[in-house]
Amino acid sequence: MKKRKSVEERKEEVFYVISQIIAEKGLSEVSTVEVARRLGVSQPAIYKYFKNKDDMIVYYIQHLKDSLNEIIKKAEKGKTAEEKLRIILSEHFRLLERTKILPRVVFSDIIYVGNPEKRSKLKEAVFLYRNGIKNIISEGIKNGEIKDIDPEFGVRVVIGGILSSTLFWMLDDMKFRIIDEVDFLLENIKRTLFN
């Protein structure tokens, strides 16, 4: 007899199915019907885990927030600002390669014009990540590794580099490995920010 999956195992599957749908069709195409179809279960089975589509998207955004928070936690274990930023870039790009969706979620108009809870959750995730990077920049300034700049500028350089690399990757139909951008980005971040 086949063992039933735990709630967490099923929700993890839902996260990756939603990622696939967003990568292929965009956030507006995510539905309980499509998720159920791809999982090979009935639509009512999805309602065991989520009240509706919005609840599913809120869970999805919370999962993304947790993933971004894990990136920051890993980075904080680095010894230098350079090592910490390398970890952020590497882990961020690995997450993109695994899910292929983060930019589509962040820039989706569905988030901004829809349910305020979705918008609030996304803002919370992005600001938590931003603040983690800002703390690394601030610490690097304090330790003399990074120039005496406004830490907010440093955050914008790092996030801007991530976003522009991601945009080029997406426009090129994800034909190259975005993880290969880490050395290029880090070298130029160092030239701009580091002593």
Side-chain angles (χ1 to χ4, degrees), residues 154-166:
V155 170
R156 292 179 187 192
V157 168
V158 173
I159 291 178
I162 290 170
L163 292 176
S164 64
S165 292
T166 302

Side-chain angles (χ1 to χ4, degrees), residues 42-79:
S42 67
Q43 185 182 12
I46 297 299
Y47 292 118
K48 290 179 187 175
Y49 309 103
F50 305 101
K51 291 182 276 190
N52 53 35
K53 174 184 172 174
D54 280 343
D55 190 42
M56 205 166 48
I57 299 299
V58 167
Y59 164 79
Y60 182 80
I61 293 169
Q62 180 62 45
H63 195 293
L64 275 179
K65 176 185 169 190
D66 295 343
S67 298
L68 294 173
N69 195 36
E70 282 302 311
I71 291 171
I72 294 298
K73 284 181 182 178
K74 283 182 182 178
E76 288 170 346
K77 293 177 183 173
K79 291 179 176 67

Side-chain angles (χ1 to χ4, degrees), residues 75-96:
E76 288 170 346
K77 293 177 183 173
K79 291 179 176 67
T80 65
E82 178 181 345
E83 189 178 330
K84 290 174 183 183
L85 290 176
R86 177 176 293 284
I87 291 167
I88 286 174
L89 295 172
S90 298
E91 293 300 317
H92 190 99
F93 289 154
R94 280 188 190 101
L95 176 64
L96 285 176

Side-chain angles (χ1 to χ4, degrees), residues 119-151:
R119 186 173 48 251
S120 175
K121 288 281 185 193
L122 181 62
K123 182 179 176 183
E124 188 180 308
V126 169
F127 275 72
L128 179 79
Y129 194 57
R130 179 189 152 280
N131 289 336
I133 295 170
K134 190 173 186 176
N135 290 340
I136 290 168
I137 300 287
S138 296
E139 185 182 315
I141 292 167
K142 183 179 168 189
N143 294 339
E145 298 171 81
I146 295 177
K147 296 173 186 172
D148 188 15
I149 58 166
D150 184 330

